[in-house]
Structure formats: C-alpha cells, structure tokens
C-alpha cells in the first residue's frame, strides 16, 4: 500500500516536471526559428493513460489533450473536466464519425473524400461544426494512413465547400526512425503543401499538426502550430 502511494507520488511529480520540460523545449525551439512560444500549442497525448494522469497535467494548466480511440475518448470526456479541448488524432473509422463530432473539438485525421463528406453530413445533423485537419502521408510510407499530395488538393477543395466543417489545416505523422534530414523534408513538405493549398483556394489555414515526442523540436523549427506529445509527458506506453 505504502509502495503504491510512493509510486503514484512519483508519477505525479514526473508528469508535472515533464510538462514543464516539454513547454520549455517548445519555447526554445520556437525562439530558435524566430517564432513566439505561444504560436505552438502543446497537445498532451493521454491515450492509454488514466484520467488521474490527465488531471495532473490539467492542474499545471494544460488544457489540450489528444486521444486516438473513440471508445477511450468517450470514457475520459465523461470524467475529465469540461474545459478540456479534446483532439482526436488517431485514424477515424466511418462508423465512429458521429461520436467523434460529438466529443472532439478537433479531428486531425480526415484523409478521404468519403470520410470528409460523412463528417460534414453528420456534423450538420448534430448541429456541430468540428475543426478538422487533413491527414497527409508526406513520406509515402506504405503502412500509414493519410492522403497523398495529389489527393490533398481534391480533399482541400471539397473541405472548403463543406458547410458544417471548419477546415483548419494539415496534419502528418513522420515514420519512426527517420533521420533528421528526412524529418525536415517531411515537415517542410507539409508546410509547403499548406501554403500551396492556401494559394490555390484563396484560403488561410492556421494549423500545422506535426511533431511527436521524438521529433517535435524539428517540427517546430519547420513551422508546427500543434505538437502531439505523449511519451515525453506521461512515460512509455505498454
Ligand atoms: C500516440 C500518438 C502521438 C504521440 O506519440 P509520442 O511518441 O508518445 O509522443 C502523436 N500523434 C499520433 C497520431 C499518435 O497516435
């Protein structure tokens, strides 16, 4: 019992310290690239971690949390504080779209025209207007979700026309084990694509969601506005 308590105290201290460290690192990387620290928003990726862990992060002032499964998200939304802004960052199945629209402020993983149309339709029926990001597979890696560069223009054109969707930007996930130069190429590729889409459709897209625990500093230097950090805050997932 005493051991349990010590372990919990350890976990709490480590979440508080980790958040502080990550926020410091974000500020340093932003400054290094001539940006303000508040141009980069931290999404604490709490997937697989209990609501207690979320509450510890919440108490430090953290309000943006990321989850990748609808079932887990819906359980956490019920028990966690109301003013948390939930980001759905994982692959979205079409039969989970209504739940996603209900629960998440942002959906980072729209990657097909079908999913986009369904999200728009269900958001309309539910009286919502979710903020969405189009997920791109910049590296062309086989196993990942996300649309190609060419598809991105079709998706963006359709997203602009959706009445019930607030199209905010692009998201990508770099393959694990990529070198720094590969990472820079992927992240700058997403930034360039965003700029091309803005010009093509005469719109402004404020958000670039890129960078995880292992690569968020590089992503910030390449223009990230959302970084999605799990392991560096909560520890390794099993
Ligand atoms: C899990 C996950 C993250 C966080 O990854 P860490 O390496 O733990 O920081 C970020 N983005 C997506 C899409 C994820 O699924």
């Amino acid at each position: 019992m005493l051991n349990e308590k010590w372990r919990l105290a350890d976990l709490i201290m480590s979440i508080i310290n980790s958040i502080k460290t990550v926020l410091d690192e974000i500020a340093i990387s932003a400054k290094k690239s001539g940006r303000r620290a508040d141009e980069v928003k931290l999404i604490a990726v709490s997937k697989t971690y209990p609501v207690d862990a979320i509450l510890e992060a919440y108490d430090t002032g953290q309000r943006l949390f990321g989850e990748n499964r609808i079932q887990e998200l819906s359980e956490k939304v019920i028990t966690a504080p109301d003013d948390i802004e939930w980001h759905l960052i994982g692959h979205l199945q079409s039969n989970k779209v209504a739940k996603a629209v209900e629960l998440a402020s942002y959906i980072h993983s729209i990657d097909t025209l079908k999913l986009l149309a369904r999200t728009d339709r269900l958001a309309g029926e539910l009286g919502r207007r979710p903020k969405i990001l189009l997920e791109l597979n910049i590296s062309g890696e086989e196993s990942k979700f996300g649309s190609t560069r060419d598809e991105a223009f079709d998706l963006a054109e359709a997203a602009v026309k959706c009445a019930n969707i607030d199209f905010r930007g692009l998201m990508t996930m770099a393959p694990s084990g990529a070198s720094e130069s590969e990472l820079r190429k992927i992240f700058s590729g997403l930034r360039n694509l965003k700029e091309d889409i803005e010009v093509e459709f005469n719109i402004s897209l404020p958000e670039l969601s890129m960078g995880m625990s292992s690569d968020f500093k590089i992503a910030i230097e390449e223009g990230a506005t959302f970084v999605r950090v799990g392991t560096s805050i909560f520890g390794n997932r099993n």
Side-chain angles (χ1 to χ4, degrees):
M1 191 59 199
L2 196 58
N3 257 336
E4 281 289 310
K5 271 196 181 146
W6 277 109
R7 263 208 302 273
L8 189 62
D10 267 358
L11 180 66
I12 290 169
M13 275 316 291
S14 90
I15 290 174
I16 294 169
N17 288 332
S18 303
I19 290 252
K20 194 180 171 308
T21 304
V22 169
L23 288 173
D24 286 347
E25 287 170 342
I26 288 173
I28 290 167
S29 299
K31 196 168 170 210
K32 202 169 151 186
S33 49
R35 307 172 65 203
R36 291 195 324 267
D38 65 4
E39 290 174 44
V40 185
K41 291 149 292 196
L42 171 63
I43 299 172
V45 177
S46 45
K47 65 187 184 195
T48 79
Y49 278 90
V51 170
D52 283 345
I54 292 176
L55 291 177
E56 293 312 323
Y58 181 91
D59 282 344
T60 71
Q62 180 65 30
R63 289 295 178 273
L64 278 52
F65 289 86
E67 291 285 336
N68 67 344
R69 286 173 190 279
I70 292 293
Q71 181 58 35
E72 191 175 343
L73 173 62
S74 56
E75 286 162 15
K76 286 173 175 173
V77 167
I78 295 168
T79 38
D82 285 343
D83 62 340
I84 285 180
E85 179 179 285
W86 295 101
H87 289 246
L88 183 72
I89 60 172
H91 177 63
L92 177 58
Q93 289 169 293
S94 66
N95 63 344
K96 304 276 172 65
V97 170
K99 271 272 168 213
V101 166
E102 248 176 74
L103 299 170
S105 299
Y106 278 81
I107 300 172
H108 289 234
S109 47
I110 301 290
D111 61 354
T112 64
L113 285 166
K114 219 175 129 188
L115 194 58
L116 178 72
R118 187 172 168 80
T119 305
D120 185 41
R121 180 172 63 78
L122 292 173
E125 286 175 18
L126 292 163
R128 303 278 175 121
R129 194 161 180 268
K131 299 184 178 78
I132 68 122
L133 306 177
L134 299 178
E135 181 175 354
L136 268 292
N137 180 352
I138 294 280
S139 63
E141 209 191 16
E142 281 285 337
S143 61
K144 289 275 168 69
F145 295 108
S147 77
T148 65
R149 197 179 190 288
D150 290 342
E151 290 164 349
F153 282 88
D154 293 342
L155 274 167
E157 184 173 24
V160 170
K161 292 178 187 150
C162 289
N164 309 304
I165 275 176
D166 185 3
F167 176 28
R168 301 289 289 174
L170 307 182
M171 177 272 216
T172 199
M173 238 175 125
S176 60
S179 67
E180 179 172 338
S181 67
E182 286 166 334
L183 290 169
R184 287 198 187 278
K185 210 170 136 199
I186 290 166
F187 294 144
S188 63
L190 193 73
R191 185 187 68 228
N192 290 333
L193 181 55
K194 178 182 94 82
E195 289 165 2
D196 291 348
I197 288 173
E198 288 176 316
V199 170
E200 177 80 17
F201 301 108
N202 193 23
I203 52 172
S204 160
L205 296 175
E207 310 294 359
L208 274 178
S209 169
M210 53 191 199
M212 319 190 349
S213 291
S214 58
D215 54 23
F216 72 87
K217 295 175 204 165
I218 296 169
I220 291 168
E221 288 175 30
E222 299 298 343
T225 64
F226 280 128
V227 290
R228 311 177 307 265
V229 179
T231 308
S232 290
I233 293 171
F234 298 107
N236 284 318
R237 294 176 294 271
N238 296 321

